[in-house]
Amino acid sequence: MEMSATRPALAEASSGQPRAQGAVTLAVARRGAATRLVGLRQEGALKLLFPQPRPGPMQAVLLNTSGGLTGGDRMRVSAEVGPGAALTLTTQAAERAYRAAEGVARSEVQVRMGAGAKLHWLPQETILFEGAALERRLILEMEEGAEALIAEPVIFGRREMGEALARATFRDAWDVRLCGRLVFADALRFGPDAAATLASPALGAGAGAMASLLLVAPHAEGKLAPLREALGPRGGASLVREGVLFARLLAEDGFRLRHHLEPALALLAGAALPKVWRL
């Protein structure tokens, strides 16, 4: 498996005020019974931290040293998980998408997984501030027998601070392929009138936070009933196709989102969440 280059994406940053750019290219492989780091490149504002080793998948924690995202920023993560290897990718803290004076912040995650590989992509929340403009893309390419758990929680303004999200633009696209065949695609878009979208009974229903979850694994169907119970009345889950389970959860705020999200993720992962989630 060859990793695509990261430099073209970084070159798109707009002119004018300085913008944050960052890229991480990571490769892990199975060596005996363990997963080992075999390749790492870091550029700009994105860094990777590796917590003290413990039993289970290798853990890598992303850190954006720019402190948040705004218009014109470009971030990209590329990872290769070799055959039989296991990797958990998360973030050190919640990501913040601030007001964009011009342009759009773009973030892309691209992962290639070998046969029998396992991936948990479990970033902490992205917080959308008033006037934010953020576009994200997730591309996942899996080989036979690979398993993946993906979660993306989003908070629409900080209601605990008395902030209301009125205008913001948010786009989030997922593309998942198994053995070259598209098995899941999702595109979420709203804005610039974010308040209207979030207030609509058929869309946000007044939610202040949301999470999307995807499990691609042979045992996905067996998780459907317990997942629905864990999500509670404001969540829904469906078996999209054999081995592909998707869920979406709405909540009043970030605190209530985590109340249901953490046990749901622990259920799907079959293990405790990364330690940074509990700090």
Side-chain angles (χ1 to χ4, degrees):
M1 295 182 293
E2 296 182 357
M3 191 74 64
S4 59
T6 61
R7 294 187 183 277
L10 299 181
E12 297 176 4
S14 61
S15 59
Q17 296 296 319
R19 300 304 185 198
Q21 301 182 44
V24 164
T25 301
L26 169 70
V28 299
R30 183 167 179 169
R31 296 289 185 264
T35 297
R36 305 295 186 189
L37 180 68
V38 296
L40 176 63
R41 180 183 179 88
Q42 304 177 108
E43 300 179 49
L46 274 187
K47 308 296 180 186
L48 267 181
L49 307 176
F50 297 91
Q52 186 74 20
R54 66 175 190 174
M58 171 180 282
Q59 288 196 16
V61 181
L62 280 164
L63 171 63
N64 178 3
T65 61
S66 72
L69 301 171
T70 188
D73 289 355
R74 302 289 184 266
M75 301 292 165
R76 181 164 177 169
V77 176
S78 298
E80 183 173 343
V81 187
L87 174 67
T88 295
L89 269 172
T90 185
T91 57
Q92 188 184 47
E95 183 63 277
R96 291 161 174 78
Y98 296 114
R99 184 181 69 86
E102 61 177 2
V104 175
R106 291 190 172 89
S107 176
E108 180 175 297
V109 175
Q110 181 174 354
V111 183
R112 296 186 178 185
M113 303 176 62
K118 294 185 179 181
L119 169 74
H120 290 170
W121 167 242
L122 304 175
Q124 298 191 64
E125 299 88 345
T126 294
I127 304 174
L128 299 180
F129 284 70
E130 178 67 13
L134 174 62
E135 293 184 2
R136 301 191 310 197
R137 189 179 183 193
L138 171 70
I139 302 171
L140 180 59
E141 300 176 17
M142 309 171 64
E143 296 297 331
E144 185 69 32
E147 300 180 11
L149 171 61
I150 309 296
E152 284 284 6
V154 183
I155 297 178
F156 308 122
R158 301 180 301 175
R159 293 194 176 186
E160 299 88 345
M161 305 292 291
E163 300 172 356
L165 190 67
R167 297 190 65 80
T169 300
F170 179 62
R171 298 182 179 181
D172 196 18
W174 295 12
D175 186 313
V176 180
R177 297 179 183 273
L178 179 60
C179 299
R181 180 169 57 96
L182 182 68
V183 295
F184 182 81
D186 184 63
L188 173 68
R189 299 182 181 184
F190 69 77
D193 189 355
T197 300
L198 297 175
S200 170
L203 298 172
M210 177 193 76
S212 301
L213 300 85
L214 178 69
L215 176 66
V216 182
H219 61 273
E221 184 175 0
K223 300 286 188 179
L224 181 57
L227 176 60
R228 285 173 171 169
E229 183 177 353
L231 292 175
R234 299 201 70 181
S238 298
L239 193 68
V240 178
R241 62 197 305 161
E242 184 178 357
V244 181
L245 175 62
F246 181 70
R248 190 157 274 156
L249 172 65
L250 298 176
E252 182 180 346
D253 53 36
F255 177 80
R256 290 171 178 82
L257 183 75
R258 281 215 173 198
H259 178 73
H260 291 286
L261 178 61
E262 290 191 14
L265 287 177
L267 168 71
L268 296 179
L273 294 177
K275 188 176 293 186
V276 291
W277 273 70
R278 304 190 299 275
L279 296 180

